Amino acid sequence: MNAKAAVFMGANVPFEVREFPVTPPPAGYAQMELIASGVCGTDLHIHGGKLEENAPAIIGHEFVGRITAADAAEAAAFGLAIGDTVIADIAVPCGECPLCQSGDDANCVNMGLTNGGDIEVAPHLYGGYTEVNYTPLTNLIKVPAGVDPTVAAAFACPGPTAIHAVRLAERANMDLSKMKVAVVQGLGPVGMFAVMYLKRLGIEKVYAITTGANTCRDEAARALGADRVFSLKAEGEAAVTAALQAENDGLGVDLCFEASGAPAAVAQGIDILRNRGVYLVPGQYSESGAVAIQPQLITFKALQILGSSQYSFPDVHDYVAFLAENPDLQPKIAALTAPYPIAQVNEAFTDAKAGKNIKTLLVK
């Protein structure tokens, strides 16, 4: 038996679709068959040369699959069994560095990955872009009954990413649930999830800002909870900034969540926040250039700015729990996905880079 995988061959080079033999899982590992694997913005940055990755490799880190083989006793020790639907979490914190010791293993300074194995050595298939995946049992999160696996795949990385940023704010004693006005910059997968998550936290007004004008995307954001979507192209940056500065009786917005990845968004985020406003910045995930800001605004407004680049195992648990607790969102999330067979990986990447899809998935 063989399994197809999309092999990354280098920056801006088409993927190669290869077949690999399916072998028994090593001790401590599960073998899983693909249900859906998301194309993350990180993967687009890798393929575009903005983030370094050795080639050839099987990239991807949003794998949702069904366990097909594992040592039964080993799996049971982690509450798992053959047939379970799981999300594969690639992060392996060291557990020993100062960050891990302080309970912040998402920012481990010696972070390892489960998808970095040599594709030429059995079992070959550690990454996400493959019909069969091998991941340590320690890194699998069971998808609850009642949660559509494809829905779970849609935000398998963006969801925990957004949740972790919120958790960091809570650790810094910032109670987001008491805020009245939030703005999400960007409506890619992270931004879309942030819109629905912030709204479900109880924030009264949740707005979004996009660069262009995409009616379908805007309607999807409103269906997920956005009270209004501002378009920089249609309305102009100055007008959008002025409208948001007028919130809270002219104080500005309480919270800004940067999910666009556009450096220029940071200056606007600082501008629209009220005094002691909170700026969560998980979206600036590649070297996309510099931008001028007015640093005195950070001082005079006493802004609270938090970067957040990773997520941890508990955040994935919180993500699937959120989906289970909000079943009405599942059909809306499913409508955001665009599935492609692994054999069509290059078409999937072309469409994702062109912004044709809100969430691109690779399926069997």
Side-chain angles (χ1 to χ4, degrees):
M1 178 181 173
N2 290 336
K4 291 186 179 70
V7 180
F8 170 73
M9 301 303 296
N12 300 305
V13 176
F15 287 83
E16 288 187 5
V17 178
R18 300 183 187 174
E19 291 197 358
F20 294 83
V22 175
T23 61
Y29 277 71
Q31 177 196 94
M32 295 164 290
E33 64 178 0
L34 173 69
I35 296 175
S37 188
V39 174
C40 182
T42 301
D43 301 328
L44 299 180
H45 292 322
I46 289 171
H47 192 253
K50 292 183 178 181
L51 290 174
E52 187 175 350
E53 175 67 57
N54 294 327
I58 299 172
I59 63 172
H61 55 275
E62 297 183 7
F63 187 98
V64 174
R66 188 171 293 106
I67 298 177
T68 50
D71 180 277
E74 288 181 343
F78 297 97
L80 300 169
I82 292 173
D84 284 347
T85 300
V86 291
I87 294 177
D89 180 11
I90 69 164
V92 184
C94 72
E96 298 178 355
C97 72
L99 277 301
C100 286
Q101 290 294 311
S102 69
D104 190 11
D105 62 5
N107 292 294
C108 171
V109 297
N110 302 307
M111 186 71 80
L113 302 173
T114 65
N115 70 344
D118 186 344
I119 66 172
E120 304 301 336
V121 178
H124 310 287
L125 307 171
Y126 298 101
Y129 294 174
T130 172
E131 293 178 335
V132 172
N133 169 277
Y134 297 84
T135 291
L137 291 159
T138 54
N139 283 64
L140 299 180
I141 299 94
K142 188 173 178 178
V143 177
V147 175
D148 183 328
T150 303
V151 169
F155 294 117
C157 173
T161 295
I163 289 170
H164 189 74
V166 171
R167 295 291 177 268
L168 287 181
E170 291 172 345
R171 287 183 60 177
N173 296 317
M174 304 171 191
D175 189 348
L176 273 57
S177 67
K178 294 182 179 178
M179 297 180 176
K180 295 181 179 179
V181 187
V183 173
V184 176
Q185 296 173 298
L187 283 177
V190 174
M192 282 289 189
F193 186 86
V195 164
M196 75 175 89
Y197 192 71
L198 294 174
K199 195 66 174 181
R200 294 295 164 116
L201 280 181
I203 296 178
E204 182 181 336
K205 298 178 184 177
V206 177
Y207 301 128
I209 301 175
T210 64
T211 302
N214 184 318
T215 302
C216 292
R217 191 178 297 258
D218 295 353
E219 289 177 356
R222 285 191 286 268
L224 294 174
D227 294 281
R228 179 175 173 182
V229 179
F230 292 89
S231 168
L232 296 176
K233 181 178 180 180
E235 302 173 62
E237 182 177 345
V240 172
T241 297
L244 294 170
Q245 287 174 333
E247 291 290 333
N248 279 323
D249 297 323
L251 295 178
V253 305
D254 303 298
L255 167 71
C256 188
F257 188 107
E258 203 297 298
S260 72
V266 176
Q268 186 178 39
I270 290 172
D271 281 345
I272 63 179
L273 282 164
R274 64 165 170 80
N275 285 15
R276 294 295 289 159
V278 174
Y279 200 3
L280 302 183
V281 190
Q284 299 290 325
Y285 210 79
S286 69
E287 188 175 341
S288 297
V291 64
I293 64 170
Q294 299 296 319
Q296 76 277 7
L297 295 179
I298 300 172
T299 301
F300 293 150
K301 290 186 176 184
L303 296 180
Q304 304 171 88
I305 301 176
L306 284 174
S308 180
S309 63
Q310 309 289 343
Y311 55 85
S312 62
F313 203 74
D315 299 314
V316 186
H317 279 284
D318 288 348
Y319 165 64
V320 293
F322 175 80
L323 295 178
E325 293 162 3
N326 295 276
D328 61 299
L329 290 174
Q330 291 192 46
K332 298 174 183 179
I333 295 171
L336 306 180
T337 63
Y340 297 74
I342 283 181
Q344 296 178 14
V345 60
N346 289 306
E347 179 184 346
F349 263 67
T350 297
D351 290 349
K353 288 179 179 181
K356 290 184 178 180
N357 308 326
I358 293 173
K359 184 58 185 185
T360 304
L361 298 178
L362 296 180
V363 298
K364 193 168 182 180

